[in-house]
Amino acid sequence: MSELEPQSSGSRLALVELTGAEDMTAALRKLQDQWGPVAPVDLEPGVPGWLVLGHAEVMEVMRTESVFARDPRHWSERLPLNSSLHAILSPAGRRALYYADGAEHRRLRLPVDEAFASIDEALTAAMVRGVCGKLIDSFAARGDADLIGEYAAAVSFLAVSGMFGFDEQQGIALLRCAHGVFGHGGDAVAALTTMDQIVLDHVLATRQNPGPNLTAKFVAHPNFEDDTEIVHSMVVAICAANEMLVTWIAATLRRMLTDPRYTGRVTGVRRGLDDAMDETLWGEPPVANLPARYAVTDCTLGRAQIRAGDAIVMGLAAANNDPRVRTEDDMFEAGNRSHLSFGVGPHACPARRPGRLVVKIAVESLMERLDLRLTDPDVTWAPSPWSRYPAVLPVAFTPERQHARTPARV
Ligand code: HEM
C-alpha cells in the first residue's frame, strides 16, 4: 500500500465535523477504514493536520517527544490572524509546561506536580461541595435548569479557581475569559490577555498574603524564573481543567439521564459512581481530539508519511475504542484501565485525583438533592474541534422552596 500524503483541503474532514457528528464512533470507524491508524484531517477548515486513531500510535506519539514535540514553534503552519486555533495551538510567547519539551518541560512541570500533590483533599472536597451546593441553590426553587450553563461549566471553573485561592467573582470573570479562549469567535487572544491580567493580580496579592492554596505553592517555588512563567502555568492549568471537567460532568450526567442501564450501575450494588465515571472516560473521553504535537523530523506513523512541521492531534476517543485494547464484553472489561483519557508520557495529566474529586462531588451533589428528568432528549453538541459535550442539558425536577437565589449562570 502506498504511503499517505496530506490531501488538498476539501477532501479532508474538519475535526469539528467529527465532534459534532450524530454518531461519532461510526464517523471514526469510517476514517479508520479509509486511512488506517492515522488520517489526514483539517484542524479547522483549511488548516491541515493528522488525526491519530490507533491506541498504539497515540501512545507512540505521546511518549516520543524527541520526534513529536509539544513546542508550537515546530509547527510550519502560519494561521490566519482570525483563526480560533491561535490561543490553544499557536500562542506566541507562552512560557508554561504545556508548550515545552525535555528539560524545560520538567523544570516547569515540577512545581505543578508538587502543588497538586500538596492538596488537602478533605478541605478541597468541602470547598467543592460548597460550590455545588450554592449553584444548586440558585435554581432549585425553579424546578428546571440547564445543567451545562448553570451547573457543569460553573462548578468546573469555580472549583479549580477555588483550589488556586480565587474568590467567586474572580472565578466567574476567569470563566468568561475561558469561554472566549475556547470559543469560535475571533476574540480568543484578547480573552487570554484579560485572563493573564486577572491571574497576575492574584499572584501579586498572594505574594503579599499567601494562603493555603495552589497559587501560594507556585509563588514559593524556586523553579519559576519570573511571574510570567507562574501566570502562564496557572492559566494553562485553569484552562486545561475547565474543558475536561465540564465535559466529564456533562457526559456522566447525560448518561445518567438517558441510559437506565448506566444509572442502575451507579445506584446499584454491583458498581459505584467511580466505575461508572471510568466507563464515561472510556466511551466519551473529555478531550476526544487532544491537541497537539508537531513533527520535528520527517517520519512514518501508521501508513502516513508525516513531514517535519506537521501538526498531529491525538484521537483519544478513537484510541479508547481501538478493538486492540477494548472488547465489547462488560465482564471482561471490568478493571481495564488502559484508556488514554488522562494522557500518557511526560505531559500526562498531573491532576487526576482532584479532577476525579470535582466530577464525583458535582454529580453526587445533584443526585442527592434533585429528582432530575431530561426535558429535551435531542442533543446539540457544543462547537469544539477538541471535545464533544452537549451545548445544553435541560432538566426538570420537583422544585425546592427554601433556596431561591440570584442565578449563577455565566
Ligand atoms: C482539577 C482538574 C485538572 C487540572 C488542574 C488539570 C491540569 C492539567 C495540566 C496543567 C496539564 C498539562 C500537563 C503538561 O503539559 O505537562 C494537563 C494535561 C492533561 N490533562 Fe488535565 N487537568 C485536570 C483535569 C483533567 C481531566 C478531568 C481530564 C480528563 C479526564 C484531564 C486530561 C488531561 C490530558 C489528556 C492531558 C494531557 C495533555 C497532553 O498530553 O497534551 N485533565 N492537565
Side-chain angles (χ1 to χ4, degrees):
M1 191 161 308
S2 67
E3 288 173 331
L4 303 182
E5 294 285 347
Q7 304 294 293
S8 64
S9 184
S11 61
R12 292 184 304 253
L13 192 69
L15 290 179
V16 74
E17 294 176 71
L18 260 183
T19 50
E22 200 176 326
D23 183 346
M24 189 167 77
T25 310
L28 287 170
R29 201 162 294 137
K30 201 170 153 198
L31 264 188
Q32 233 150 355
D33 289 346
Q34 186 178 1
W35 300 106
V38 183
V41 289
D42 269 351
L43 309 188
E44 70 179 11
V47 179
W50 299 98
L51 180 65
V52 188
L53 303 160
H55 190 275
E57 290 76 10
V58 167
M59 299 260 283
E60 184 181 340
V61 170
M62 294 177 99
R63 285 179 162 163
T64 322
E65 62 183 343
S66 55
V67 180
F68 304 107
R70 200 60 160 99
D71 187 337
R73 286 174 297 187
H74 291 287
W75 196 14
S76 57
E77 186 73 27
R78 296 287 162 262
L79 289 174
L81 272 180
N82 64 351
S83 169
S84 63
L85 300 174
H86 273 294
I88 295 176
L89 293 190
S90 175
R94 302 304 287 186
R95 290 163 54 205
L97 68 167
Y98 194 75
Y99 311 105
D101 299 295
E104 178 78 343
H105 171 259
R106 308 306 182 266
R107 174 177 72 79
L108 292 164
R109 170 83 184 211
L110 189 67
V112 176
D113 280 336
E114 289 185 359
F116 280 113
S118 76
I119 278 183
D120 180 325
E121 291 190 3
L123 272 181
T124 306
M127 181 271 290
V128 178
R129 263 188 218 104
V131 165
C132 295
K134 265 173 108 173
L135 287 166
I136 299 171
D137 288 351
S138 73
F139 53 73
R142 277 208 331 255
D144 64 72
D146 163 23
L147 294 185
I148 304 298
E150 289 180 282
Y151 192 66
V155 168
S156 305
F157 227 83
L158 294 177
V160 176
S161 57
M163 289 180 209
F164 279 98
F166 290 96
D167 64 29
E168 190 178 312
Q169 287 317 309
Q170 290 169 316
I172 290 172
L174 286 171
L175 175 51
R176 292 209 175 100
C177 295
H179 282 176
V181 172
F182 284 100
H184 280 246
D187 62 350
V189 174
L192 199 57
T193 307
T194 310
M195 205 167 183
D196 282 352
Q197 190 56 51
I198 296 171
V199 174
L200 177 61
D201 291 346
H202 182 60
V203 165
L204 298 176
T206 305
R207 184 164 290 122
Q208 295 306 314
N209 188 15
N213 59 54
L214 295 173
T215 306
K217 297 282 177 196
F218 277 34
V219 164
H221 205 287
N223 275 23
F224 287 123
E225 285 175 357
D226 54 32
D227 284 350
T228 303
E229 284 187 353
I230 297 179
V231 168
H232 289 184
S233 300
M234 284 174 61
V235 168
V236 155
I238 291 168
C239 287
N242 180 49
E243 187 103 330
M244 313 283 189
L245 293 172
V246 176
T247 312
W248 196 4
I249 294 171
T252 305
L253 288 172
R254 188 169 163 274
R255 279 188 177 217
M256 293 178 67
L257 294 170
T258 56
D259 180 353
R261 200 187 56 110
Y262 181 85
T263 314
R265 283 217 286 276
V266 177
T267 51
V269 287
R270 195 158 78 82
R271 294 206 272 172
L273 182 53
D274 268 312
D275 279 342
M277 282 164 49
D278 278 323
E279 190 178 324
T280 313
L281 289 184
W282 269 109
E284 298 170 74
V287 57
N289 302 318
L290 179 69
R293 301 292 190 270
Y294 309 99
V296 172
T297 177
D298 292 355
C299 60
T300 304
L301 185 67
R303 291 164 15 206
Q305 187 56 52
I306 313 274
R307 300 266 177 248
D310 285 358
I312 294 141
V313 173
M314 280 90 22
L316 303 188
N320 281 0
N321 282 303
D322 187 329
R324 287 177 289 181
V325 293
R326 193 170 189 225
T327 69
E328 287 180 2
D329 182 338
D330 267 4
M331 295 306 284
F332 190 69
E333 288 307 312
N336 183 349
R337 295 277 182 274
S338 55
H339 68 68
L340 300 179
S341 299
F342 284 108
V344 292
H347 290 273
C349 185
R352 285 168 175 240
R353 284 183 68 89
R356 180 177 289 274
L357 182 122
V358 172
V359 174
K360 196 171 176 191
I361 293 174
V363 173
E364 273 173 354
S365 303
L366 263 182
M367 281 168 59
E368 278 164 16
R369 258 179 78 174
L370 304 175
D371 53 342
L372 302 170
R373 305 177 295 284
L374 197 62
T375 49
D376 182 358
D378 290 339
V379 58
T380 304
W381 302 109
S384 160
W386 322 117
S387 295
R388 176 177 168 93
Y389 64 96
V392 289
L393 201 54
V395 291
F397 48 84
T398 310
E400 284 179 358
R401 288 196 169 273
Q402 63 274 37
H403 291 295
R405 176 177 175 266
T406 313
R409 176 183 278 282
V410 283

